[in-house]
Amino acid sequence: DKALLERRSDLSVHSLKDMPMEVPEELPIVAFSKREDPRDVLVLPEGADNLDLSKPIGCSSQRRILQLQQMYPEATFKSIRGNVLTRLNKLDGGEYSGLILAAAGLKRLGLENRIYRYFEPDEIIPAAGQGILAIQTRAGEYADLLARLNSPDGALCAKTERQLASLLGGDCSAPVGCHAQLHGTDMTLYGFSGIGGVPRYGSVQGNRNDADLLVQQLASKLTITE
């Protein structure tokens, strides 16, 4: 952001799922990529053919952990940091039984062969914007270029998911999952909230032109009311 404001750079490209829900008005997100695979995946140590639950699963995301506990109640989890290659080195070094990562990152790095299992979006609901790249620049600049780079479907899903995440009270590190799937003129919107430590799931379906209404309907299902 500082580089953009000081005009040392013109565009910033981000993984949308890692961006704050609120961005500065002077540095808007102005284009969204076509979506890469949005799923979370399980990666095993090299040479392993099953998940050894005597060791912890490497995962630092509460969104993922709360959902995985429903699928693997006997599993333990241990935080892991670093870029993808650093995490893979720790996994292959014997510290963990497996890792939970985003499919998109592995595919973009040419490491799709390390994926042992894909979790479908209705099994583990992804983070808002997962698999989408976001382009940020100074307000009012590069409109023609960014219109050509923007994916209308990617933009619709991104904005819908981020709107739902904001209503659920989730920033990019909160235990909140939001995922929109498009089927022609229809949209299925999945939501997960682990805020307060209680997992809650929901989904709604309707016309893609009614995305705002779908967000409101699903948020009301997932929000804790006193």
Side-chain angles (χ1 to χ4, degrees):
D1 286 3
K2 191 167 185 285
L4 285 172
L5 291 171
E6 294 176 353
R7 307 191 76 85
R8 292 184 286 110
S9 66
D10 293 313
L11 302 172
S12 295
V13 182
H14 302 278
S15 173
L16 182 60
K17 78 178 182 68
D18 297 323
M19 291 192 73
M21 293 301 155
E22 300 292 334
V23 296
E25 287 186 10
E26 63 271 24
L27 297 175
I29 300 173
V30 285
F32 300 88
S33 74
K34 181 180 177 181
R35 183 167 235 156
E36 176 56 275
D37 193 325
R39 293 174 290 182
D40 286 315
V41 298
L42 173 63
V43 178
L44 298 183
E46 279 196 307
D49 57 7
N50 60 76
L51 182 62
D52 175 12
L53 291 178
S54 67
K55 293 181 180 180
I57 297 173
C59 182
S60 301
S61 162
Q62 283 300 305
R63 170 188 64 81
R64 289 170 171 159
I65 290 172
L66 286 168
Q67 295 185 81
L68 284 161
Q69 285 173 335
Q70 312 297 307
M71 303 177 71
Y72 300 105
E74 68 278 26
T76 59
F77 299 89
K78 181 181 175 183
S79 181
I80 185 168
R81 300 293 179 186
N83 62 34
V84 170
L85 294 178
T86 297
R87 296 184 190 203
L88 290 174
N89 286 335
K90 291 179 179 179
L91 172 67
D92 294 336
E95 291 186 50
Y96 302 90
S97 61
L99 299 179
I100 308 299
L101 297 170
L106 290 166
K107 289 185 174 185
R108 288 180 177 132
L109 289 168
L111 295 170
E112 186 175 359
N113 63 304
R114 292 300 308 263
I115 296 172
Y116 173 73
R117 178 185 173 177
Y118 291 87
F119 298 103
E120 295 303 318
D122 58 353
E123 292 181 300
I124 297 183
I125 298 174
Q130 189 157 310
I132 297 174
L133 298 178
I135 303 176
Q136 190 178 23
T137 191
R138 294 175 292 274
E141 297 191 17
Y142 301 103
D144 291 344
L145 168 65
L146 295 164
R148 294 197 298 272
L149 292 174
N150 186 61
S151 163
D153 284 355
L156 175 60
C157 290
K159 292 173 182 178
T160 301
E161 292 163 16
R162 285 169 66 83
Q163 182 184 356
L164 176 59
S166 294
L167 287 178
L168 295 178
D171 59 20
C172 58
S173 61
V176 167
C178 307
H179 182 67
Q181 285 185 341
L182 300 177
H183 327 275
T185 60
D186 289 336
M187 172 186 285
T188 302
L189 183 60
Y190 298 93
F192 165 80
S193 174
I195 291 174
V198 179
R200 296 180 301 284
Y201 297 83
S203 65
V204 292
Q205 188 169 8
N207 191 287
R208 61 188 288 162
N209 295 326
D210 296 326
D212 289 347
L213 176 61
L214 297 177
V215 166
Q216 297 294 333
Q217 290 175 344
L218 188 50
S220 68
K221 289 184 178 183
L222 296 174
T223 302
I224 296 175
T225 55
E226 297 298 337

